[in-house]
């Protein structure tokens, strides 16, 4: 029952605010929206207390969904240590973002609709992470895609927001097509979609079939978690409200792909080629997105590309068999990325929506608490000890190096290291240009209200001490739980951890110093031809426009103008025209005069008699 409540509570908030929120006072809408998520967090924590050992799991079967011969799928929920951690992250960070939204969305006319969508988003993500089998997970997977469309295009009267929502929906459908094919392959070859049975059945699958299946599943992950080549929807998702950006980027939708691989790790562990693809795509995406963030001027888009890059780190971890480190980084990233987005929202709240860093600056004084929160999030993102991001990033780099020493590619470790340097540069640039450079706007900014500042303060504490608590304090409780859950034997390291850690920290510090030297006096650093190349996103979007978007539009216009209008509609209209003309001709014969009809009958009779007389014997 507790598992059902975890999912149902946010969905109940969605129903109440969605159906009656317009007639309720705003404080009550806030209480319903925030209270249901808080209650779900409490229910998650209470349920997680029963997971004493790694093999423990709580299940709840609601009904038999599909029954076809020997193949059955139940609509059920599952909580083990992995899904418990994800549920706590989703509900905990989600609750803080809900509270923050009270102040941020206070003047919006669609206040109740916003909280209804936000509750639906959290409920859908909980269904995804607590799904007892792959089909229930897929339902949550599709629902978070729907919610992203609704929330990214929340201000649908703005053309850019509406287009961004459609883009997110369409691009995710591309990845989801591969994901669905992978699910169907598993169903037909193993006869089950239950997670525990899939783990046993994976050993009996042919290697080629297993590789094909896992690659199709990974295709879905590249769409949902915005990896190359399906990353293009996530930067445009910044058109939605900033708390939505924080929720999507920190705790919900974009983490779904990483969670799916972690959940199906028994399959992926037996598909070596797929793991190498996952690691390569993750490393390439991490570096690619970090370089674009280096030249972005929109503060929210800098953080969007940062999310894509950090997700690349998580996939790199999955590919080098550092799955506990990948999930650990997912958790730490939820804290500091939510903090960075909420701090960016506080800047926008204070400057009436300004996000162009060329117009910002000088905000460290009037927004000193926001600046402090952003600085903590930036240091965590840059991987500087003792902040949260250091512990998880360092673990991933150590495992990438260890994998290189045992037959893997050292390029993965180097890509991760170089990405760490670029990350420190771009987040230092963002902090300097937003808070510490000379003022670029003349308004009188003010600090955020308590409803916005409180969640930022809690996230700042988690971003500061969460990594140390999870990885070192009291025997590294979080890492110990994850290590026991995945039960993966790590490769023996040939280099002591201390030198690798020193290199990792040095790279981050060097990146911060580089950022300070380049941008502390607010110089317009364009990086020349390299900057122009990066500003065009390595021409990937241009390539998509030329190879996919433009031909697709031309094909659509041809189908609409030629095939549909001139072909199908022309044929239908032509037949209708012929029938009309035949009717006109018939009207001329039907004169209404009896003598004309008698003459016609006489003429017909004469013709028939002539035929019979002249036809011969």
């Amino acid at each position: 029952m507790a598992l059902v409540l975890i999912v149902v509570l946010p969905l109940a908030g969605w129903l109440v605010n969605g159906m009656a929120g317009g007639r309720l006072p705003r404080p009550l809408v806030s209480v319903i929206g925030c209270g249901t998520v808080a209650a779900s967090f409490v229910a998650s924590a209470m349920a997680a207390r029963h997971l004493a050992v790694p093999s423990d799991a709580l299940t709840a079967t609601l009904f038999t969904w599909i029954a076809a011969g020997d193949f059955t799928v139940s609509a059920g929920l599952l909580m083990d240590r992995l899904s418990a951690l994800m549920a706590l992250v989703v509900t905990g960070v989600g609750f803080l973002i809900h509270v923050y939204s009270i102040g941020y969305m206070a003047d919006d006319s669609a206040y109740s609709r916003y909280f209804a969508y936000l509750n639906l988003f959290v409920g859908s993500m909980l269904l995804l992470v607590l799904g007892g089998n792959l089909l229930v997970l897929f339902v949550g997977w599709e629902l978070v895609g729907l919610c992203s469309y609704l929330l990214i295009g929340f201000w649908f009267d703005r053309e850019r927001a509406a287009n961004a929502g459609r883009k997110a929906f369409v691009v995710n459908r591309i990845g989801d097509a591969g994901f669905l094919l992978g699910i169907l392959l598993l169903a037909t070859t193993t006869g089950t979609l239950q997670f525990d049975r899939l783990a046993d059945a994976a050993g009996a699958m042919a290697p080629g079939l297993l590789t094909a299946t896992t690659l199709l599943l990974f295709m879905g992950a590249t769409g949902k978690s915005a990896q190359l080549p399906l990353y293009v929807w996530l930067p445009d998702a910044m058109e939605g409200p900033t708390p939505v950006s924080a929720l999507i980027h920190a705790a919900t939708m974009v983490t779904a792909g990483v969670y799916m691989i972690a959940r199906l790790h028994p399959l992926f562990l037996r598909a070596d080629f797929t793991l190498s693809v996952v690691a390569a795509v993750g490393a390439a995406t991490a570096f690619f997105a970090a370089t674009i963030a280096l030249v972005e001027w929109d503060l929210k888009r800098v953080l969007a590309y940062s999310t894509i890059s950090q997700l690349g780190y998580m996939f790199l971890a999955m590919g080098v068999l550092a799955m506990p480190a990948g999930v650990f980084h997912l958790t730490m990233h939820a804290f500091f990325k939510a903090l960075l987005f909420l701090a960016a929202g506080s800047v926008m709240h204070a400057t009436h929506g300004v996000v162009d860093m060329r117009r910002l600056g000088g905000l460290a004084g009037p927004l000193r608490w926001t600046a402090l929160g952003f600085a903590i999030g930036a240091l965590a993102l840059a991987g500087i000890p003792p902040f949260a991001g250091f512990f998880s990033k360092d673990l991933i780099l150590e495992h990438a190096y260890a994998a290189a020493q045992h037959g893997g590619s050292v390029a993965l470790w180097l890509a991760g290291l170089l990405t760490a340097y670029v990350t420190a540069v771009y987040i230092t640039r963002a902090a300097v240009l937003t808070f510490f450079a000379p003022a670029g706007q003349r308004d009188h900014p003010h600090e955020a209200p308590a409803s916005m500042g409180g969640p930022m303060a809690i996230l700042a504490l988690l971003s500061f001490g969460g990594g140390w608590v999870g990885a070192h304090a009291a025997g590294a409780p979080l890492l110990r739980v994850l290590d026991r859950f995945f039960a993966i034997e790590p490769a023996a390291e040939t280099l002591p951890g201390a030198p690798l850690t020193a290199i990792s920290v040095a790279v981050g510090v060097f990146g911060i110093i580089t950022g300070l030297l380049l941008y502390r006096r607010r110089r317009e650093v364009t990086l020349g031809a390299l900057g122009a190349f990066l500003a065009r996103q390595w021409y990937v979007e241009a390539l998509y426009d030329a190879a996919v978007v433009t031909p697709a539009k031309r094909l659509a216009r041809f189908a609409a103008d030629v095939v549909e209008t001139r072909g199908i509609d022309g044929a239908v209209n032509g037949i209708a025209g012929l029938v009309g003309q035949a009717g006109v001709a018939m009207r001329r014969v039907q004169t209404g005069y009896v003598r004309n009809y008698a003459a016609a009958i006489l003429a017909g009779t004469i013709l028939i008699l002539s035929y019979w007389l002249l036809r011969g014997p």
Side-chain angles (χ1 to χ4, degrees):
M1 186 62 183
L3 296 186
V4 177
L5 280 177
I6 294 171
V7 179
V8 167
L9 284 168
L11 296 180
W14 161 62
L15 282 174
V16 174
N17 280 332
M19 298 181 69
R23 297 185 294 274
L24 299 176
R26 290 199 171 197
L28 183 56
V29 171
S30 305
V31 169
I32 293 171
C34 299
T36 53
V37 179
S40 183
F41 174 78
V42 173
S44 300
M46 293 177 65
R49 292 177 58 191
H50 296 285
L51 305 176
V53 297
S55 60
D56 282 349
L58 303 177
T59 59
T61 301
L62 305 180
F63 54 88
T64 299
W65 185 359
I66 298 174
D70 295 333
F71 180 76
T72 60
V73 177
S74 299
L77 303 176
L78 165 71
M79 176 180 276
D80 52 19
R81 292 192 168 194
L82 176 63
S83 55
L85 174 61
M86 289 296 297
L88 290 171
V89 170
V90 170
T91 54
V93 177
F95 169 69
L96 295 176
I97 293 172
H98 274 68
V99 174
Y100 179 93
S101 298
I102 296 173
Y104 190 87
M105 300 295 290
D107 298 327
D108 198 280
S109 59
Y111 191 77
S112 60
R113 176 166 63 90
Y114 170 82
F115 274 98
Y117 287 171
L118 221 57
N119 278 172
L120 178 60
F121 205 171
V122 172
S124 300
M125 189 65 189
L126 288 171
L127 182 63
L128 189 158
V129 301
L130 294 175
N133 55 65
L134 200 50
L135 198 57
V136 176
L137 182 151
F138 184 71
V139 173
W141 185 281
E142 290 301 299
L143 282 174
V144 296
L146 171 64
C147 293
S148 70
Y149 167 76
L150 295 173
L151 284 168
I152 293 169
F154 180 77
W155 291 312
F156 55 82
D157 53 340
R158 304 177 185 178
E159 184 178 2
R160 292 181 61 180
N163 290 339
R166 285 194 295 269
K167 185 175 184 179
F169 193 80
V170 170
V171 173
N172 272 276
R173 298 291 73 72
I174 298 172
D176 292 353
F179 187 44
L180 183 58
L181 288 175
I183 292 175
L184 293 175
L185 270 177
L186 282 176
T188 55
T189 55
T190 66
T192 183
L193 292 177
Q194 296 294 128
F195 293 127
D196 53 348
R197 297 178 187 172
L198 284 174
D200 298 331
M205 292 181 67
L209 182 61
L210 183 59
T211 298
T213 302
T214 50
L215 285 174
L216 286 169
L217 295 174
F218 177 59
M219 180 178 172
T222 60
K224 200 66 72 181
S225 295
Q227 297 295 284
L228 285 170
L230 300 179
Y231 76 96
V232 292
W233 66 272
L234 194 57
D236 291 345
M238 297 302 98
E239 295 299 327
T242 301
V244 170
S245 303
L247 191 60
I248 291 176
H249 288 243
T252 55
M253 181 171 172
V254 296
T255 62
V258 180
Y259 171 78
M260 183 270 291
I261 293 180
R263 169 56 66 197
L264 298 176
H265 70 276
L267 297 177
F268 284 85
L269 289 177
R270 293 178 170 87
D272 293 337
F273 178 76
T274 301
L275 286 177
S276 64
V277 171
V278 171
V281 170
T285 304
F287 178 71
F288 167 80
T291 59
I292 299 174
L294 195 60
V295 296
E296 267 289 346
W297 291 107
D298 185 308
L299 178 58
K300 286 181 65 178
R301 288 177 71 90
V302 170
L303 299 179
Y305 282 111
S306 171
T307 298
I308 298 171
S309 179
Q310 293 303 302
L311 288 165
Y313 262 118
M314 299 173 204
F315 281 105
L316 171 61
M318 296 292 163
V320 297
L321 300 181
M323 293 177 180
V327 177
F328 184 42
H329 192 56
L330 182 156
T331 306
M332 298 301 107
H333 178 262
F335 300 151
F336 63 74
K337 185 52 60 68
L339 173 61
L340 288 169
F341 267 109
L342 296 189
S346 180
V347 169
M348 295 176 64
H349 184 269
T351 59
H352 307 290
V354 176
V355 290
D356 189 336
M357 293 187 294
R358 288 167 292 193
R359 297 175 55 196
L360 296 173
L363 297 176
L367 302 181
R368 60 183 181 277
W369 295 113
T370 297
L372 177 60
F374 193 93
I376 291 173
L379 289 169
L381 175 61
I384 303 300
F387 298 92
F390 158 74
F391 298 96
S392 53
K393 182 205 72 173
D394 188 59
L395 273 175
I396 294 172
L397 291 178
E398 285 186 13
H399 280 84
Y401 184 87
Q405 300 302 299
H406 293 80
S409 174
V410 72
L412 298 176
W413 177 70
L414 291 174
L417 207 60
L418 188 56
T419 299
Y421 169 73
V422 178
T423 299
V425 175
Y426 74 66
I427 199 60
T428 302
R429 169 181 179 262
V432 168
L433 295 183
T434 302
F435 295 100
F436 303 104
Q441 43 80 32
R442 299 181 179 179
D443 293 332
H444 299 286
H446 54 86
E447 191 61 89
S451 62
M452 297 170 63
M456 286 194 291
I458 295 173
L459 289 168
L461 288 174
L462 292 170
S463 299
F464 178 77
W468 183 81
V469 171
H472 285 284
L478 181 55
L479 270 183
R480 186 173 68 251
V481 166
L482 292 172
D483 284 337
R484 290 178 178 176
F485 175 82
F486 288 102
I488 299 172
E489 290 295 331
E493 297 181 7
T494 57
L495 186 68
L500 288 176
T501 300
I503 293 172
S504 174
V505 173
V507 165
V509 172
F510 184 50
I512 292 175
I513 294 172
T514 303
L516 290 173
L517 292 176
L518 286 174
Y519 301 102
R520 63 175 180 170
R521 300 188 183 278
R522 199 177 176 82
R523 289 193 293 249
E524 296 286 338
V525 181
T526 62
L527 302 181
L530 176 61
F533 174 75
L534 298 178
R536 295 295 301 272
Q537 302 178 28
W538 294 42
Y539 290 90
V540 172
E541 288 259 22
L543 176 62
Y544 285 168
D545 285 338
V548 179
V549 178
T550 300
K553 287 182 176 179
R554 289 176 179 172
L555 179 61
R557 290 193 189 99
F558 175 79
D561 297 339
V562 178
V563 177
E564 175 73 17
T565 304
R566 301 179 188 176
I568 299 174
D569 288 352
V572 173
N573 294 335
I575 293 172
L578 288 175
V579 173
Q581 292 176 6
V584 171
M586 291 298 294
R587 282 200 302 270
R588 293 174 182 172
V589 176
Q590 300 295 327
T591 62
Y593 295 108
V594 176
R595 62 178 179 269
N596 291 344
Y597 299 153
I601 293 172
L602 178 61
T605 302
I606 292 171
L607 286 173
I608 293 172
L609 289 173
S610 300
Y611 169 76
W612 285 103
L613 291 172
L614 297 175
R615 63 179 293 192

